Amino acid sequence: MSDEDPIKILKVRYAKGEINTSQYEEMLSYLLEDVSSIQKTPILETSITDDPELSQNPETDEAVDSITSDTHSTGSGESTDIQTSCEIQEELDYESDEPIGDDPITDEGFHPGLSSDNVPQVNGTVLPKGGSHQVPESQYLTDATLSAGIADENRILEEQINELEIIEETESESTKGDPSSISGVFLSGQDLSNVCYVTAVNLIHAGEYDKALPFLEKSIEIDPHQSQAWLYRGSILHNRKSYDEALICFDKALSLDASQTKAALFKGYCLFNLHRDQDALSAFDLVITQDRRHARAWLFKGYCLQNLKQFKDAVSAFNAATEHNPKEMAGWLHKGICLFELNQHPDALSSFDKVLELDKRNLSAWLFKIRSFIRMNRYQEALQSSSKLIEISPREISAWLSRADILLKLNKIEEALDATKKALVVDKWSADAWNLRGLCFHKLKRYEQALPCYENALKLNPRHAEAMRNRASCFHKLKRHVDALQYYEVAIEDNPNNIEAWFNRGLILHKSKQYEEALNSYEKVINLDRFNVKAYFNKGKIHRVLEQYYEALQAFTQATNVDPQFASAWFHMGLIYSDLVRQKEAIQCYDRTLKLDPRHVGALFNKGIILDDLGAKREAFACFQKATALDPKVATSMKAKGKFAH
């Protein structure tokens, strides 16, 4: 019946006397409103891949009015950069009063430009949901694969719509055994409902989903007990991304037929797209209960568990998906990603290799494979994989950026700089590339060249967190403290609990000798993280400068309580006891310092001065002799014998 023109059906039945004139005119009038131009169309085959691999395209930013060319690079005027953070902690000079944490860039490596604690999500967002990774290494990944991202929403929708390309069997079931489908007798309302339903099915097969919707609604209005009509209506609303309305339809279909697998599956899709992963799990579990071999249900169950950071259970779900469909690349890929999150890197590599067996050009698998090698400190293998990826996809910017990141880790800065240049040849509008190039110059201490790169990254993406942070560090290195401070003020405004921003704000104010404001920032850090040893240490140094000795001792004591191996804190505690002429306690602190760091010149020198004042000339001479051997400048300081090295 689905292969016939509904108007032709109507005319034949009227001619046979199966419906009266008023019924014929009513149904004909309704059909002619919407389907006068509809011709019988063959069912369209949707070309859809079954694997929702990570394929999200990076966001395309609007064109920038001007990009500052880096004329100081390799001569081509091109520049690039990648997000990395590298906190440089300079060794404290034994005469220095500088605060700890001189450079706000952390040395934990590159973190791609995301709110990194990225919580697993899907439909164009990154995984895991929520915040920054706790992984110390860094490497460039495309937006599609950052922190275990899943396929973009349009791709998933196509896959889900493809699930509905089984409608013919449904239609035949709806009319099977019903004599009215051939020549039986119809009630007028039921007749109109069936004609509308058949018309809708024909339109759906032709891909005319929007035109099908009013026919389904009319059919449901007449007969609200048609589970298949509810299923179709829900699928069209799902396709429109009207997920809440679609859910109502699928729930209705399930209430009419609890064994309706497709309704349960699409209900799961809707909940998944609404980021209601826990609820979606129940729907997919219902499908799996009815069909243990349903690979798609297992796959999306894995996605949900991955979003919820239940990586171990997600691995089991992806295992089931690949067991029932060994060519399910998305299952292999996301199994590898979850194993990566569980730090099971050898097993993760096996999964990524399986993906590459199925598709040697799979960008996501290559990038995560490289990242796994980096996690395992197998940098040469990571570099070889990077070379292979570039051979396969020389026009893929992420291939060049991942290579630059590895070269940075191997401290091959000039080679990394060249890789970023090639990345910009591929795409000069990449904020990540500009940021990475800036980092290369940063590591070479060519701050004046790094700064324009960070500026370009921010022109392309004003919210590029790593470029903002690295730019602030550049200002800091160039002693443009006011400019650096502005970034941290904005960062704190965006997130009042940003520990790093509060600490670096305090650091800049500390160096600018705005001690009270600096103390307030360090106090905020301690309130947010009571184990932040650097905040205690820098706070103690300010109190000492302000001659607030009790508060200084308290701060250094808290620092050593948090980290008993913190030699500099013991040394500065000794300086305070020296200031207070509490010689015994001072010597104890210097001895503790020397136990942790036998080459600490400041502790040797100051201990020698105290011993000399106490008349222990031989012991004092031994201290001075060791200090002079380590630093010849001590000999000059010997002339100021009674003065401590502050």
Side-chain angles (χ1 to χ4, degrees), residues 53-87:
E53 70 181 50
L54 303 185
S55 58
Q56 174 190 354
N57 295 321
E59 295 183 5
T60 302
D61 296 295
E62 296 182 359
V64 182
D65 291 338
S66 64
I67 294 289
T68 306
S69 294
D70 178 13
T71 57
H72 302 288
S73 60
T74 52
S76 66
E78 311 239 16
S79 62
T80 31
D81 76 301
I82 200 169
Q83 319 163 207
T84 308
S85 62
C86 55
E87 182 170 308

Side-chain angles (χ1 to χ4, degrees), residues 261-543:
T261 302
K262 293 299 175 186
L265 185 67
F266 269 75
K267 178 180 179 180
Y269 290 155
C270 284
L271 292 165
F272 173 79
N273 288 322
L274 289 168
H275 308 293
R276 293 169 55 184
D277 298 298
Q278 195 64 55
D279 295 330
L281 280 175
S282 300
F284 294 128
D285 279 337
L286 178 59
V287 177
I288 291 166
T289 299
Q290 296 173 1
D291 180 3
R292 295 289 301 177
R293 300 184 61 81
H294 200 297
R296 303 296 293 173
W298 281 113
L299 181 68
F300 276 81
K301 178 177 180 178
Y303 288 162
C304 294
L305 291 165
Q306 186 178 358
N307 283 352
L308 295 168
K309 295 188 180 181
Q310 297 177 27
F311 299 119
K312 187 175 180 180
D313 291 335
V315 168
S316 298
F318 292 130
N319 270 336
T322 54
E323 178 184 343
H324 300 310
N325 181 6
K327 294 186 177 181
E328 178 58 82
M329 281 195 296
W332 289 109
L333 180 63
H334 286 274
K335 175 185 173 182
I337 291 169
C338 291
L339 289 167
F340 176 88
E341 294 292 343
L342 292 168
N343 293 319
Q344 297 178 25
H345 303 300
D347 292 335
L349 281 173
S350 298
S351 291
F352 299 138
D353 284 339
K354 183 64 178 179
V355 176
L356 294 172
E357 284 178 20
L358 297 168
D359 176 15
K360 70 176 183 178
R361 304 180 68 87
N362 190 292
L363 177 64
S364 301
W366 277 113
L367 291 172
F368 271 100
K369 182 175 180 177
I370 292 168
R371 193 174 180 186
S372 296
F373 280 135
I374 290 175
R375 278 276 191 99
M376 299 166 73
N377 297 321
R378 291 160 62 177
Y379 295 115
Q380 289 301 327
E381 289 167 282
L383 197 60
Q384 290 170 4
S385 295
S386 170
S387 298
K388 184 66 176 177
L389 177 56
I390 288 171
E391 180 184 331
I392 293 170
S393 303
R395 301 295 299 172
E396 174 55 58
I397 188 171
S398 59
W400 288 105
L401 293 180
S402 64
R403 182 173 184 80
D405 182 50
I406 297 165
L407 290 167
L408 276 173
K409 292 182 183 304
L410 293 171
N411 206 33
K412 298 180 178 181
I413 312 301
E414 293 291 350
E415 292 181 55
L417 198 59
D418 183 61
T420 60
K421 177 182 175 181
K422 290 176 180 175
L424 281 179
V425 170
V426 174
D427 181 8
K428 70 177 180 180
W429 307 105
S430 168
D432 286 329
W434 285 107
N435 180 48
L436 178 55
R437 189 167 182 84
L439 183 67
C440 291
F441 287 125
H442 205 132
K443 283 182 171 285
L444 292 169
K445 299 185 178 180
R446 290 153 64 177
Y447 306 118
E448 293 288 358
Q449 290 172 270
L451 196 57
C453 296
Y454 297 140
E455 298 285 1
N456 287 345
L458 291 169
K459 286 178 185 177
L460 290 162
N461 179 5
R463 304 299 297 175
H464 198 294
E466 291 299 328
M468 285 192 284
R469 185 162 71 175
N470 292 345
R471 177 172 170 262
S473 174
C474 229
F475 284 139
H476 186 62
K477 285 294 186 182
L478 293 169
K479 301 193 183 302
R480 292 170 56 177
H481 298 310
V482 174
D483 292 324
L485 192 61
Q486 288 175 353
Y487 161 69
Y488 296 115
E489 298 286 5
V490 171
I492 288 167
E493 185 177 340
D494 287 346
N495 177 13
N497 294 326
N498 187 328
I499 295 174
E500 181 188 4
W502 278 111
F503 179 81
N504 288 324
R505 177 181 184 270
L507 195 64
I508 292 169
L509 292 166
H510 189 163
K511 291 193 169 218
S512 302
K513 299 186 178 181
Q514 300 180 50
Y515 295 128
E516 291 300 329
E517 279 298 308
L519 280 173
N520 290 337
S521 291
Y522 292 141
E523 285 289 356
K524 184 66 176 178
V525 172
I526 291 166
N527 288 338
L528 294 169
D529 175 13
R530 62 191 181 92
F531 298 108
N532 195 301
V533 68
K534 291 190 293 184
Y536 287 121
F537 181 83
N538 287 352
K539 183 184 171 189
K541 296 187 87 172
I542 291 177
H543 285 307

Side-chain angles (χ1 to χ4, degrees), residues 164 166-176 197 227-229 231-232 260 262:
L164 216 57
I166 44 78
I167 303 299
E168 278 198 294
E169 73 172 85
T170 310
E171 179 191 339
S172 62
E173 288 174 2
S174 68
T175 58
K176 185 177 179 181
Y197 175 78
S227 64
Q228 293 298 329
L231 175 63
Y232 280 120
Q260 179 55 268
K262 293 299 175 186

Side-chain angles (χ1 to χ4, degrees), residues 575-592:
L575 292 179
I576 294 173
Y577 283 124
S578 295
D579 290 336
L580 297 172
V581 197
R582 293 170 58 177
Q583 315 287 37
K584 182 179 179 181
E585 291 94 332
I587 287 180
Q588 289 173 345
C589 289
Y590 295 141
D591 283 341
R592 188 65 180 266

